[in-house]
Amino acid sequence: MPGFELFGDTERESVNDVLDNGILMRYGFDGMRNGHWKAKALESELRKTLNTNHVQLVSSGTAAVTVALASAGVGAGDEVIMPTFTFVASFEAIMMLGAIPVLVDIDSTLTLDPKAVEAAITQNTKAVMVVQMCGSMGDMDTLKSICDNHNLIFVEDACQAIGGTYNGKSLGSIADVGCFSFDFVKTITCGEGGAVITNNKDYYLNADHYSDHGHDHMGNDRGAETHPFLGYNFRISELHAAVGLAQVKRLPEFLAIQKRNFDIIKNELATIPEIEFRTVPKGGIESCAFLSFFLPSLEISRKVSEAFKSNGIDVCWNYFDNNWHYIREWHHLKDAKSLYPLSSEIKNALEELKTQNFSQSDFYIGRNISCLIKLSWTEEEVRERALKMRNCINEVLMVN
């Protein structure tokens, strides 16, 4: 999955260019930087790659979700519908703005169940955030239709899914505003970084200003810029952008390797009748960053996970007991463990999570195993791995 596996001369040259120039900040110092603008260049490359009108780089994927929500006007007391299966950054970003995370069930896509979304809408709902976990997508047409019918902001977190498409459109570019992460373990990396993308000019300008202390970025004198509204610091550095600029140019190379490795493993596992692969909506093409499949039960999934570990098969997870990605173990969220006081609306909503029924999500996550696809594997290594995975699963199934 992560591009750091294949760092080479392209990344080194781009970073050294920044160091030789000496300007590490993305804004200002125009006279000293001699035309070197790595962040601007990366934004331009991402606009072309993702076929979107506007891109705003930020310091992380978490920052991207926060800035995306803020740019669309989500704030105190607003409810944001999100899935039970995601990364903790999803609810962190919502709560950072004083908004209320409303968690709902996933379906066999491993993303938002549209029926659960529809049932969760209240007069306080402001946005719906689909999270394209493990390289694939939700039922985007239905989710978008729900948002349009209820006049809700549609947010797309594609942090784990760059390179995936839906009806020919890049994941992240389909909703009103999209988010990407370029941290150390993403398909392309900046080390730390993220991006907000949108075709809405107002959202873009809001993101541009908000992510840099409210600066309007008018003219070439940073000290003379005005502040149309309050903002914070979610800037990316030129060093981080330099790594990302080199990596995004290699994205087709990385995606081709991912697909080759993904297909080899999937074709081998497809010979096992008991395996069901995640649902990919019609018109969707996975990024192939992960291979996700379902086994008959939670018990079998746990035993297969242990068999994988015992046989040296790494980076495969059953998320049911995972502390980072599934609501079952998010005790710090459900218990509202915060360093500072939370609003009564947020505390009440989190209290409800303790007793809310997520049996549908349990059904899918309990039986699921998601396997990360590495870029550094040789074809021979992938074929050996696929055979070992098939044998482990069959051995567990034989005794269960």
Side-chain angles (χ1 to χ4, degrees):
M1 175 186 179
F4 78 79
E5 294 180 272
L6 300 181
F7 279 159
D9 291 340
T10 306
E11 288 82 359
R12 294 184 185 94
E13 289 170 6
S14 190
V15 170
N16 285 335
D17 187 45
V18 176
L19 292 174
D20 291 343
N21 185 57
I23 305 302
L24 275 60
M25 185 175 179
R26 74 156 296 176
Y27 297 113
F29 302 96
D30 296 34
M32 299 173 61
R33 66 171 67 238
N34 300 314
H36 294 245
W37 300 91
K38 297 298 184 184
K40 287 184 180 180
L42 177 52
E43 287 168 344
S44 177
E45 285 293 328
L46 286 168
R47 282 195 297 272
K48 290 184 289 185
T49 299
L50 301 170
N51 193 25
T52 188
N53 291 341
H54 306 290
V55 175
Q56 178 63 40
L57 285 175
V58 290
S59 55
S60 69
T62 309
V65 179
T66 305
V67 172
L69 292 168
S71 71
V74 174
D78 292 331
E79 293 177 355
V80 179
I81 294 173
M82 58 166 280
T84 53
F85 178 46
T86 176
F87 180 53
V88 293
S90 298
F91 60 76
E92 290 170 347
I94 294 167
M95 294 171 65
M96 188 184 301
L97 298 171
I100 301 167
V102 177
L103 281 77
V104 304
D105 274 320
I106 60 168
D107 59 19
S108 61
T109 66
L110 295 176
T111 66
L112 283 176
D113 177 1
K115 294 179 181 178
V117 171
E118 187 89 55
I121 295 171
T122 73
Q123 62 180 3
N124 295 319
T125 305
K126 186 72 171 282
V128 173
M129 181 164 66
V130 62
V131 184
Q132 318 288 34
M133 284 293 287
C134 299
S136 192
M137 70 225 71
D139 183 347
M140 299 301 288
D141 285 343
T142 303
L143 291 170
K144 187 177 186 304
S145 178
I146 291 171
C147 290
D148 289 345
N149 291 339
H150 293 274
N151 195 29
L152 302 175
I153 300 158
F154 191 20
V155 181
E156 188 176 358
D157 177 347
C159 287
Q160 288 192 356
I162 193 167
T165 61
Y166 182 76
N167 289 334
K169 293 183 178 180
S170 297
L171 296 184
S173 72
I174 301 162
D176 297 316
V177 60
C179 312
F180 287 96
S181 170
F182 305 129
D183 72 18
F184 192 54
V185 291
K186 295 299 185 290
T187 300
I188 59 172
T189 181
C190 292
E192 287 287 357
V196 177
I197 75 169
T198 184
N199 290 318
N200 184 309
K201 185 176 180 181
D202 290 336
Y203 288 177
Y204 163 67
L205 289 174
N206 288 344
D208 173 74
H209 300 353
Y210 183 77
S211 60
D212 183 30
H213 299 294
H215 278 266
D216 65 8
H217 300 139
M218 299 295 290
N220 57 8
D221 182 353
R222 185 167 173 82
E225 292 173 2
T226 63
H227 301 80
F229 47 76
L230 291 169
Y232 300 90
N233 180 9
F234 296 109
R235 294 189 302 261
I236 196 170
S237 76
E238 286 287 274
L239 277 176
H240 290 93
V243 178
L245 180 59
Q247 290 254 298
V248 74
K249 293 176 180 179
R250 301 180 67 191
L251 181 59
E253 170 194 354
F254 295 167
L255 293 175
I257 296 170
Q258 279 185 176
K259 183 169 184 355
R260 180 201 69 185
N261 296 346
F262 177 99
D263 286 345
I264 289 171
I265 298 173
K266 183 175 182 180
N267 290 339
E268 191 68 54
L269 298 190
T271 64
I272 303 174
E274 291 86 350
I275 281 184
E276 175 189 351
F277 294 100
R278 79 183 297 175
T279 297
V280 178
K282 183 179 179 182
I285 298 176
E286 297 181 75
S287 74
C288 299
F290 289 80
L291 175 63
S292 298
F293 56 90
F294 302 106
L295 291 164
S297 69
L298 170 61
E299 179 185 9
I300 290 174
S301 293
R302 281 174 165 161
K303 289 180 178 179
V304 167
S305 293
E306 288 303 314
F308 281 176
K309 293 175 185 176
S310 299
N311 286 274
I313 300 169
D314 63 348
V315 296
C316 290
W317 294 279
N318 172 266
Y319 289 108
F320 191 75
D321 300 313
N322 183 278
N323 291 328
W324 288 5
H325 292 285
Y326 186 54
I327 187 173
R328 185 168 169 269
E329 295 296 328
W330 290 340
H331 301 297
H332 64 307
L333 174 68
K334 291 180 280 188
D335 293 335
K337 293 182 177 178
S338 174
L339 293 177
Y340 49 84
L342 300 173
S343 71
S344 58
E345 293 91 346
I346 291 177
K347 287 194 290 186
N348 289 340
L350 300 186
E351 183 68 25
E352 291 179 6
L353 292 177
K354 294 180 180 179
T355 56
Q356 197 166 343
N357 183 347
F358 293 116
S359 56
Q360 177 174 304
S361 295
D362 288 346
F363 174 73
Y364 290 112
I365 290 297
R367 298 183 302 118
N368 168 248
I369 292 180
S370 290
C371 297
L372 185 148
I373 303 298
K374 290 186 180 180
L375 301 178
S376 56
W377 293 327
T378 66
E379 184 172 342
E380 182 180 0
E381 288 173 335
V382 180
R383 294 192 183 282
E384 290 177 357
R385 178 186 180 87
L387 185 59
K388 286 175 69 176
M389 290 175 67
R390 189 194 73 181
N391 290 340
C392 285
I393 294 170
N394 278 329
E395 287 172 8
V396 170
L397 290 170
M398 284 180 61
V399 297
N400 286 275

